Amino acid sequence: MQRSSKNQRGATLLTVLLLLLIMTLIALATMRGTLMQERMSGNLNDRSQSFQAAEEALRDVERLLLLPANRDAIWNWNEAALASGDFSCMGGNGFCPLPDDPIDPNDSAAERWTVEANWVNLANGPTVNGVQTQFMVEFMGDWPSWRDCDKVLPQDAACMTPRYRISVRSDNDNRSQTVLQSNFAAPAS
């Protein structure tokens, strides 16, 4: 029994259209995956650039603190803060004196990093896509360089060294923000 060609005319067209639809859906899914991977790669690049700029800024500020003149300026500011009771950061230059009570969470100086005015652009510092890194240095007082050196009399000249908490941040056009912090012990001078 032979089939007539009239009954088979639409079947081939329907099969081809169905295969074309399936191939289109596969192509769209592949494109979507590729675009997602491209976005993820861009975000990873932004994050990496932001981190590298923040890390470089952290090292730059540590180098600033190696200079005794800079440490003396912070020390003098700390003495003035103790005398006046004003523990705000140094007039917008990124250096903050020792808080009056660094352990007390109600102390206004406890969360200085939340105050936008305390962050200062690092002059000649690294940039991320044109956005400068910012820093803030908090003087944390003089601490023993080695265990129990402050309990021995006479005290060694290198026993007590100034400590600083350095915070830096880098914002990559609101796409990626990195905040790094280090505790820095200045060499005895």
Side-chain angles (χ1 to χ4, degrees):
M1 184 162 143
Q2 276 191 332
R3 296 187 124 157
S4 73
S5 61
K6 280 186 169 184
N7 293 338
Q8 294 181 7
R9 280 188 188 171
T12 305
L13 180 61
L14 187 61
T15 304
V16 169
L17 286 176
L18 188 60
L19 287 174
L20 183 61
L21 177 66
I22 291 171
M23 288 173 54
T24 302
L25 291 175
I26 290 172
L28 288 175
T30 303
M31 272 184 18
R32 183 175 178 207
T34 301
L35 288 174
M36 182 63 74
Q37 286 179 358
E38 184 179 353
R39 275 193 220 128
M40 290 187 321
S41 175
N43 289 341
L44 182 64
N45 185 42
D46 289 344
R47 190 175 72 185
S48 177
Q49 284 181 352
S50 181
F51 180 83
Q52 289 173 13
E55 190 172 32
E56 184 179 346
L58 189 66
R59 301 300 167 233
D60 287 347
V61 174
E62 287 175 352
R63 279 191 288 277
L64 283 174
L65 289 174
L66 287 174
L67 300 174
N70 291 336
R71 292 196 309 270
D72 291 345
I74 295 171
W75 177 257
N76 292 336
W77 181 261
N78 185 63
E79 292 299 307
L82 288 173
S84 69
D86 177 16
F87 293 95
S88 60
C89 294
M90 284 172 88
N93 70 1
F95 295 104
C96 303
L98 181 68
D100 53 351
D101 188 356
I103 309 253
D104 181 8
N106 296 321
D107 182 8
S108 61
E111 293 187 1
R112 292 175 168 159
W113 59 273
T114 62
V115 179
E116 191 66 32
N118 291 342
W119 292 94
V120 178
N121 287 344
L122 183 60
N124 302 320
T127 60
V128 175
N129 293 338
V131 178
Q132 276 201 312
T133 52
Q134 297 179 310
F135 78 97
M136 178 177 53
V137 177
E138 297 172 90
F139 179 64
M140 302 307 289
D142 288 331
W143 292 85
S145 296
W146 59 89
R147 186 176 174 181
D148 295 333
C149 76
D150 58 331
K151 296 177 183 165
V152 176
L153 293 176
Q155 201 174 70
D156 188 296
C159 172
M160 301 298 283
T161 57
R163 306 293 169 128
Y164 304 92
R165 178 173 39 220
I166 304 170
S167 303
V168 296
R169 71 180 181 186
S170 175
D171 190 357
N172 195 347
D173 293 332
N174 292 323
R175 293 190 311 256
S176 174
Q177 186 177 53
T178 302
V179 178
L180 296 178
Q181 203 172 58
S182 76
N183 292 317
F184 181 76
S189 48

